[in-house]
Amino acid sequence: MSLKLEQSQSLLESILKSVGSGIIVADETGKFLLYNPAAEKLFGIGATVSSPAEWSKLYGFFAEDGITPLPEDELPLVRAIRGQSVSGMRVYIKNAGLKDGLWLSMNARPLVTADGAIAGGVISFEDITRQKELEQEAARSNADLEQFASVAAHDLQEPLRTVVSFLNLLEQRTKNQLDEKSARYVHNAVSGAKRMQVLINDLLAYSRIRTKGQPFALVNMQLVIQDVLDDLGGNIAESAAKIDIGRLPNVRGDRSQLRHLCLNLINNAIKFRKQDEPLRIEVGVTESRKTPHLVTFYFRDNGIGIEPEFYERIFVIFRRLHGMDEYPGTGIGLAICQRIVERHGGRIWVESALGVGSTFYLTLPLEQT
Ligand code: ADP
């Protein structure tokens, strides 16, 4: 062996020994050609003389849920040997050699010779157990918080109903008997309690988006929008709005939630219109070649507009840019829209110019036909 070749081989060996990532190379039959110390540490078992059909059981590979055994076909190294590439696949591993199970993130690539033939596969992997634990903790505390909000909102409804009905009775009974100031106090108490009822109902609706949603099915968005426009008939006539609806595709989702989403957006366009200009609303889709499984809808208006510094804040629950006397509302509409879109795996954002108008964009999964 030439000195140069020897040197580069020992350099490669020391690199493979020192890296924290596990690296394994196998030939096309599954025979291990390289198995670095980190791989041995992370797998809890060293290189074995075994066939790929035995690997899942022998090494204890499971899917990310930690319970479903990974079939041979889905093992990253097996896929690499068959010519596929795998990036960032999360796998759980547990076997007699490991005190505790580990989550690994795995990459795999076929081993291709100079003439283009597949001679085996390479995998590299890292321990992501800590990251996975943090994600699980965050999901648990989110779920706890959500449940707390839902239970609190539900349990507050009953006593509040009592307060509202007794305040109403008090208002009726004391009509014309109280001095002006006392009558105003009672009136303010009634409207405060009623507003609280609206807020609590909204909070409950918000907390139920994820927990009480319907399974996804084909949704004809053209019909959904038509339905919403029929519902808003009175408001639309009153605002003399001109509404253009483009050709809308079918999506995959929860029809009732998507209807709620469109209703909120069109309602806002009507509510936040300019008083001195006829309202125009346009609903359509834009195409994206980057994400062919998603479609971007837009809801454009020529209303009062929003300043860029508020583009994100308006989606936060109970955040409003105006006083109740200027525009009625609770500030939950867009937070509900965001939750609905996120439940569908999409995102929602706004582009706007103050005094010119706003366009709300949202992505939804296309129904593949
Ligand atoms: P609400 O309508 O009850 O105030 P939303 O969550 O629907 O609550 O909206 C939050 C805020 O975003 C509104 O108070 C308003 O300032 C702004 N906004 C929403 N839609 C529009 C729109 N189409 N044009 C201008 N401003 C809007």
Side-chain angles (χ1 to χ4, degrees):
M1 201 187 282
S2 78
L3 194 62
K4 247 182 155 175
L5 195 62
E6 248 178 64
Q7 272 174 346
S8 63
Q9 239 185 22
S10 77
L11 180 68
L12 183 65
E13 264 169 34
S14 61
I15 292 172
L16 288 171
K17 264 189 203 147
S18 61
V19 289
S21 304
I23 298 171
I24 297 176
V25 181
D27 71 9
E28 71 276 19
T29 66
K31 184 171 154 234
F32 296 127
L33 303 176
L34 191 153
Y35 203 103
N36 79 339
E40 189 161 340
K41 183 164 165 265
L42 292 171
F43 276 6
I45 299 178
T48 53
V49 180
S50 54
S51 83
E54 297 165 288
W55 288 345
S56 188
K57 206 150 179 214
L58 190 64
Y59 289 89
F61 289 121
F62 297 87
E64 197 186 348
D65 64 9
I67 38 178
T68 314
L70 264 191
E72 180 191 350
D73 278 1
E74 287 178 30
L75 292 174
L77 189 52
V78 172
R79 288 173 62 181
I81 293 170
R82 292 187 185 155
Q84 298 168 19
S85 289
V86 177
S87 295
M89 179 172 167
R90 289 176 165 204
V91 166
Y92 183 71
I93 178 166
K94 188 165 173 55
N95 57 48
L98 288 169
K99 201 158 67 63
D100 299 303
L102 295 179
W103 270 279
L104 303 173
S105 169
M106 295 190 140
N107 295 311
R109 298 284 179 275
L111 196 64
V112 185
T113 59
D115 54 7
I118 294 174
V122 188
I123 53 168
S124 67
F125 44 96
E126 268 151 38
D127 183 356
I128 53 157
T129 306
R130 185 71 199 125
Q131 183 188 339
K132 183 78 192 165
E133 281 168 358
L134 288 174
E135 283 172 15
Q136 283 174 333
E137 251 167 59
R140 257 196 308 273
S141 76
N142 266 348
D144 282 353
L145 213 64
E146 206 157 285
Q147 202 188 0
F148 170 75
S150 169
V151 170
H154 181 264
D155 289 0
L156 283 172
Q157 275 181 322
E158 189 50 42
L160 197 57
R161 223 173 277 142
T162 315
V163 171
V164 170
S165 53
F166 277 100
L167 280 175
N168 273 330
L169 281 177
L170 185 66
E171 195 176 32
Q172 279 163 23
R173 243 190 120 112
T174 55
K175 216 174 185 177
N176 306 324
Q177 289 174 26
L178 295 177
D179 61 89
E180 199 191 319
K181 223 176 191 175
S182 311
R184 206 175 54 240
Y185 290 167
V186 174
H187 176 77
N188 287 350
V190 172
S191 52
K194 282 189 179 155
R195 182 158 165 73
M196 194 159 164
Q197 246 177 345
V198 174
L199 284 169
I200 284 177
N201 285 343
D202 280 353
L203 187 61
L204 206 55
Y206 178 79
S207 74
R208 285 180 172 165
I209 292 168
R210 256 183 261 170
T211 51
K212 297 268 160 46
Q214 295 297 311
F216 290 177
L218 181 151
V219 180
N220 180 331
M221 289 300 280
Q222 207 86 41
L223 293 181
V224 168
I225 293 280
Q226 202 45 57
D227 204 18
V228 167
L229 295 182
D230 289 347
D231 243 32
L232 288 172
N235 289 6
I236 293 172
E238 192 200 319
S239 64
K242 181 166 175 343
I243 304 184
D244 283 326
I245 309 291
R247 271 181 64 83
L248 307 178
N250 293 337
V251 299
R252 218 177 146 64
D254 178 333
R255 189 182 193 283
S256 131
Q257 290 190 346
L258 294 176
R259 188 179 174 287
H260 197 143
L261 168 75
C262 299
L263 185 81
N264 277 349
L265 292 174
I266 297 181
N267 224 347
N268 276 350
I270 297 175
K271 183 158 63 169
F272 298 104
R273 68 182 182 268
K274 281 189 288 203
Q275 292 307 325
D276 54 355
E277 204 179 307
L279 171 61
R280 286 190 59 120
I281 301 175
E282 203 188 315
V283 181
V285 293
T286 61
E287 296 207 352
S288 159
R289 248 174 264 138
K290 256 203 300 187
T291 50
H293 61 290
L294 289 177
V295 57
T296 306
F297 287 77
Y298 63 86
F299 291 71
R300 180 168 298 138
D301 64 54
N302 63 343
I304 62 171
I306 302 160
E307 282 180 272
E309 60 174 301
F310 300 121
Y311 284 0
E312 285 179 16
R313 210 177 303 171
I314 53 170
F315 292 99
V316 175
I317 189 166
F318 298 140
R319 282 294 177 94
R320 311 196 64 229
L321 306 182
H322 308 274
M324 271 294 287
D325 40 350
E326 236 183 316
Y327 296 98
T330 55
I332 207 170
L334 288 178
I336 286 187
C337 290
Q338 188 176 45
R339 265 218 163 177
I340 292 175
V341 172
E342 283 175 357
R343 182 179 167 231
H344 286 77
R347 63 185 196 96
I348 182 169
W349 69 99
V350 69
E351 284 172 13
S352 178
L354 199 63
V356 179
S358 313
T359 307
F360 285 86
Y361 293 94
L362 54 103
T363 53
L364 290 174
L366 267 174
E367 172 72 20
Q368 314 284 2
T369 42

